[in-house]
Structure formats: structure tokens, C-alpha cells
Amino acid sequence: MRDEDARDAELGAFVAARSASLMRYGYLLTGDRARAEDLVQDALVKVYLAWPRIEDTGSLDRYIRQTMTRLHVSWWRRAVNRERPVAIPELPDEADAAAPLPGAPVEERDEVWRLLATIGPRQRAVLVLRFYEGLDDAEIADVLGCAVGTVRSQASRGLAHLRDRMAARPSASTTPAARPTAPGREDPR
């Protein structure tokens, strides 16, 4: 009984401190506030049930994000969820979510949200982990449970899709300087 109380207190403190960040991450993965809430809740339930087996509680944030990413990808694999929404996803309030492009004009941030909604879940997960979370390819592969080569190919395909969508828009600025690079990475050009 005492261990359960300690577990509840530790996990409760973690959730109180990190829930906004987890919601932002869930929103970036799903593009929908309600699904993001469900994703966070499902991940926290799994963590709560696995708590006795979690040895390194210092890595809890990473463990929950990995769980969220895998749950999101699993959701898309189910046959009943193969349909794609056609409506533009609701944009988060400034107070609720970090901008994907800090300091960028509102129109550009809105465009990024719309474009992210057009790519598949694995490509979106890779791009979110790379550009929002700042993870390198090996860390992304660890989170997604796949090979580094898979991460690179998903990132390449996702970025190519985003570039194609940007080029197809009449008001799109497709200058080479607009190509995203991860923090700490050099542009290969």
C-alpha cells in the first residue's frame, strides 16, 4: 500500500509539471486537441500500470513520449482509422502550444500546422521528433523502435512531401533558405 502511495505521488507530481508539454507533443502528433488528450491519457495509464517495472524514473518524460508516439502510430495502423480528415485542424492557442517556428509570422505557423496534417503519421512523428523535440536520428529510431535508415527515409519523404505542397501553393516561398534543418545540423547544400 505504501509503494502505491509513493507511486501515485511521484507520477502525480510529474503529470502536474509536464502535462502542458505532453499535450503540445500529442497535438503535434495528432493535429487534433481531443485526440491529443486521449493520447496523453492512454500513455499515462500505460505508464501507471508499468510503474513497478520502470527502473529509471529520470527518463520518464522520454518513456511517455515514446509510448505516445507508438500509440499514435498504432492508432493509424488500425483499419477503421484509415480515413483522412479533410477539415483544417484546429490551431492551438498561443498559451497552450509552442509555435512550430518560434518568431515566425502567424501565417507561416498556420501554414506549417496545415502542412503537417497532410503527411502520414510516421513521417509526421519523425519530423516532430526532429524539429520540435530536437532529437537526432539515432534517438528518433530509439523512440520509434525502428532503424536509423528508416528514420532518414521517413524524414526525407516527409520533407519532400512538404516541399511539394509548399511549391503547389501560389503564395508559397520556396527559397532554399526556407528549408528546415534540425538544431545542431548543417544544411547539406
Side-chain angles (χ1 to χ4, degrees):
M1 186 73 144
R2 193 173 192 159
D3 289 337
E4 286 182 24
D5 292 340
R7 171 180 65 175
D8 291 350
E10 189 174 359
L11 190 57
F14 175 84
V15 170
R18 301 293 295 155
S19 62
S21 175
L22 295 173
M23 277 298 300
R24 282 192 301 267
Y25 182 66
Y27 183 85
L28 287 170
L29 286 176
T30 64
D32 179 76
R33 191 178 311 269
R35 282 197 303 211
E37 290 171 355
D38 290 344
L39 190 61
V40 170
Q41 184 176 9
D42 290 348
L44 290 173
V45 166
K46 286 189 174 288
V47 167
Y48 183 81
L49 294 174
W51 194 261
R53 296 185 312 269
I54 298 175
E55 295 175 10
D56 182 14
T57 57
S59 300
L60 192 55
D61 191 57
R62 181 183 177 102
Y63 181 82
I64 290 175
R65 288 173 190 269
Q66 181 177 25
T67 302
M68 289 172 62
T69 303
R70 289 181 177 169
L71 285 170
H72 175 65
V73 171
S74 294
W75 185 85
W76 275 99
R77 286 183 178 155
R78 291 186 204 134
V80 295
N81 295 317
R82 297 245 186 241
E83 62 187 60
R84 304 281 280 183
V86 293
I88 296 172
E90 175 187 333
L91 298 175
D93 296 334
E94 285 296 319
D96 291 342
L101 302 173
V106 172
E107 298 82 21
E108 193 173 330
R109 288 183 304 200
D110 291 351
E111 184 67 18
V112 170
W113 286 113
R114 286 184 198 96
L115 289 173
L116 277 174
T118 66
I119 63 176
R122 290 205 45 109
Q123 292 172 359
R124 181 190 293 197
V126 167
L127 295 180
V128 166
L129 289 169
R130 178 177 285 172
F131 297 108
Y132 179 75
E133 294 292 321
L135 301 181
D136 64 26
D137 292 343
E139 292 170 320
I140 295 169
D142 184 45
V143 168
L144 295 178
C146 64
V148 172
T150 302
V151 169
R152 291 181 182 146
S153 69
Q154 292 293 316
S156 176
R157 289 179 186 140
L159 289 172
H161 180 78
L162 293 178
R163 281 188 211 108
D164 290 345
R165 298 291 289 210
M166 287 293 290
R169 296 183 112 33
S171 64
S173 170
T174 55
T175 62
R179 293 179 61 183
T181 56
R185 291 177 182 257
E186 291 183 25
D187 196 348
R189 290 174 290 166

